[in-house]
Structure formats: structure tokens, C-alpha cells
Amino acid sequence: MQHFSEDVELSNRLKIPILGLGTSHHGGYSHDAVVYALRECGVRHIDTAKRYGCEEALSKSITESRVPRDELWITTKLWPQDYGYQSAKEACRASCARLGVEYLDLYLMHWPDCGVPARSNRDVRAETWRALEEMCDEGLCRSIGVSNFLIRHLEEMKEDAGVMPHVNQVEFHPFQQPWRLVEFCRSEGVAFGGYCPLAKGQALNHPVIVELAQKYGRNASQVCIRWSIQNGIITIPKSTKPDRILENCQVFGFTLSEEDMQSIGRLHADKKLIHLSYPLWNG
């Protein structure tokens, strides 16, 4: 089994592994693949969410892997339907129960939009965040953060929150590089996490990526993931195939040149691939 230990230090001094394994719904979970990732690939960072519906399955995979809890970093997310002070606390404890853990390493508000009738998104976010802050103080969550928040949402949090999020997790890949948001987060002590690093596979056939893969003797997914982590982005590729997971973890034995980093940087096309069925980003 390989071991990798490159971490990102959060504002609370905890260190999150820069590379993790993402999970998802719609067939995005495999028990055998997760066990393999933990046992054979040295993966210690698992990212999930209530929305994905696989927290209970993940508990079984972790148990079977026999990796000690204190060696793992487990992230899950609070769905907007559970926003609100009391409901957020109840949802967090329910996620812990499904995951079979006594605490979470990172708990994220999944989206900025809340969808609570007759209440502003800002007020609901502030109330929900207060619950997360209290759970962090209590040790139920070692770290707290947000996902898909834009600069305007974070600026409001600066005014409304006791502490800023430890992490903001947002779509990040060669075709979607929100550098202004990344730099704002870093200026506020918020670590930046990126999901969808392979652009749902669309980046793997791009001529620039293919050429670099040939140059470095790697595959296209390794080039994309290496580019992401070399930019200091907490990166969580998803796969349900053991061989792909192993390949995705083998990204610490080479370094892209500055010129090649810039070549991928020029692929930005403001192309978002993650959308939901109800309006987002509007408040």
C-alpha cells in the first residue's frame, strides 16, 4: 500500500489531506471500491453528503476496511431542506449515526440557497451557521465549512458569523477555474476545496491534457488531479472502479512544470457542469 501525506492546514490548525475520494448518488458509490481505497491505496479522506444517500453504506465500508477512526478525515454535508438552527443540529447527529461515528471532521452547508418560505436566504444561512459553530465548539464537528458559496455569500458571513468557514468546496477543473473566488477565500483564511476535477471526464480527451499525459508518462486523469493539487486545491476525484482509484492516487511522484501549469490554466471556459433542478446562486 502506498502512503501519501500532503495536507492543507486549515485556519483552526487541523490538517486535511489534500487528496480525497468523492462519493455521489446515481450509482456513485461502491462498497468494494471504498474498502480498496482505504486498505490498498492509502486514502484517508472521504467526502460524502446526506444528499448522496450513501452515508450508511460508507459506515459499512469503513468498518470493513479496519482503518482506525482517528486516521480518517470524514466530510459530509447538510442539505438545504435541513437548514435552520435546530434542524441543522438534528441533521448533523443523524449523519453521524448513519456514518457510525461520534464526530465529523468537516461538516459543510451544501448550497447557499435555502428555499425557506418568507425568509431571506441570508437570515437562514446565518441561523444555520450559528448551529454549526456551536457543534464545532462542542466537538461534534472538528471543522465546519460551506460548499458552492460565492464571494457575496462569504462577505455576508463576515458580517453575520462568529468564525469564517474553514473550507469552501466548489466545482474546480480545467474548464472551470474560479480564481477570483479562490483568492478571496485564501485572503479570508478559508481553504479552497475543488470537486469534479476531471470535468466529469470531459477533460480527459482535451488535446492539451492528452499531450501532457504523454509528456509525463501519466494518464490524463493524473495530469488533471496533479494540476489541481499543485495549485493547492483540496481535490476529491470520484470513481467506483478500484483501478481508477489507484491511478488517481498516484499523483505525488511527479510535478508539472510552471509552463505546463499555465497551459492548463488557459483552458478556463467558465464551464459549470453541476446543476440542480431548483434555482441557485440568486441570494
Side-chain angles (χ1 to χ4, degrees):
M1 181 179 71
Q2 66 168 346
H3 293 276
F4 49 89
S5 58
E6 190 170 338
D7 300 321
V8 172
E9 185 172 297
L10 306 180
S11 60
N12 61 357
R13 302 295 179 87
L14 295 181
K15 294 182 178 180
I16 179 173
I18 197 167
L19 181 66
L21 176 66
T23 60
S24 68
H25 42 33
H26 302 312
Y29 191 84
S30 164
H31 169 80
D32 291 342
V34 173
V35 172
Y36 179 82
L38 295 171
R39 278 186 182 173
E40 307 298 333
C41 302
V43 170
R44 292 296 180 265
H45 172 188
I46 303 289
D47 182 280
T48 190
K50 176 188 176 180
R51 169 69 170 173
Y52 305 158
C54 57
E55 289 175 326
E56 194 168 359
L58 181 56
S59 173
K60 296 176 182 177
S61 301
I62 290 172
T63 298
E64 186 171 320
S65 77
R66 298 182 182 176
V67 175
R69 172 66 182 96
D70 60 4
E71 292 184 14
L72 293 174
W73 183 284
I74 298 176
T75 298
T76 193
K77 307 177 190 76
L78 175 71
W79 191 240
Q81 289 179 345
D82 295 316
Y83 285 4
Y85 178 79
Q86 191 60 39
S87 55
K89 290 192 171 188
E90 293 171 358
C92 181
R93 293 187 178 93
S95 281
C96 285
R98 286 189 293 269
L99 287 162
V101 299
E102 295 183 354
Y103 65 90
L104 301 171
D105 296 284
L106 178 61
Y107 197 41
L108 305 177
M109 292 178 62
H110 207 147
W111 290 93
D113 281 18
C114 309
V116 177
R119 295 194 61 190
S120 72
N121 283 331
R122 179 173 182 172
D123 285 347
V124 176
R125 284 194 295 264
E127 176 185 313
T128 303
W129 186 251
R130 180 164 59 89
L132 267 64
E133 289 181 329
E134 290 182 6
M135 290 188 289
C136 193
D137 291 339
E138 296 163 3
L140 187 60
C141 309
R142 297 177 72 216
S143 308
I144 51 177
V146 296
S147 185
N148 302 298
F149 277 44
L150 303 179
I151 290 174
R152 66 176 180 272
H153 305 126
L154 296 170
E155 287 177 332
E156 290 175 355
M157 292 192 77
K158 285 181 65 176
E159 299 178 7
D160 300 338
V163 297
M164 287 294 282
H166 298 121
V167 174
N168 184 19
Q169 188 187 104
V170 177
E171 182 177 341
F172 186 91
H173 51 75
F175 309 138
Q176 177 60 24
Q177 303 177 38
W179 284 112
R180 186 166 169 263
L181 176 59
V182 173
E183 295 306 322
F184 179 85
C185 286
R186 290 174 174 170
S187 72
E188 298 296 334
V190 180
F192 194 91
Y195 63 78
C196 206
L198 309 181
K200 291 192 170 183
Q202 295 182 28
L204 304 184
N205 296 317
H206 192 282
V208 169
I209 304 296
V210 172
E211 181 178 347
L212 291 177
Q214 294 172 345
K215 174 180 177 179
Y216 288 91
R218 300 283 177 157
N219 63 35
S221 65
Q222 290 170 329
V223 169
C224 290
I225 294 168
R226 180 65 211 177
W227 170 80
S228 183
I229 65 173
Q230 204 166 310
N231 274 309
I233 306 296
I234 301 163
T235 305
I236 48 170
K238 299 176 182 178
S239 180
T240 58
K241 299 178 180 178
D243 57 338
R244 294 284 177 84
I245 292 173
L246 179 60
E247 290 175 350
N248 291 348
C249 292
Q250 295 173 331
V251 293
F252 295 96
F254 73 108
T255 302
L256 299 172
S257 70
E258 182 59 32
E259 179 182 1
D260 293 335
M261 291 289 289
Q262 292 176 4
S263 294
I264 299 176
R266 288 192 288 269
L267 299 182
H268 174 65
D270 196 22
K271 185 176 184 180
K272 290 189 178 74
L273 301 174
I274 305 300
H275 302 281
L276 288 185
S277 59
Y278 64 90
L280 294 166
W281 313 101
N282 61 2

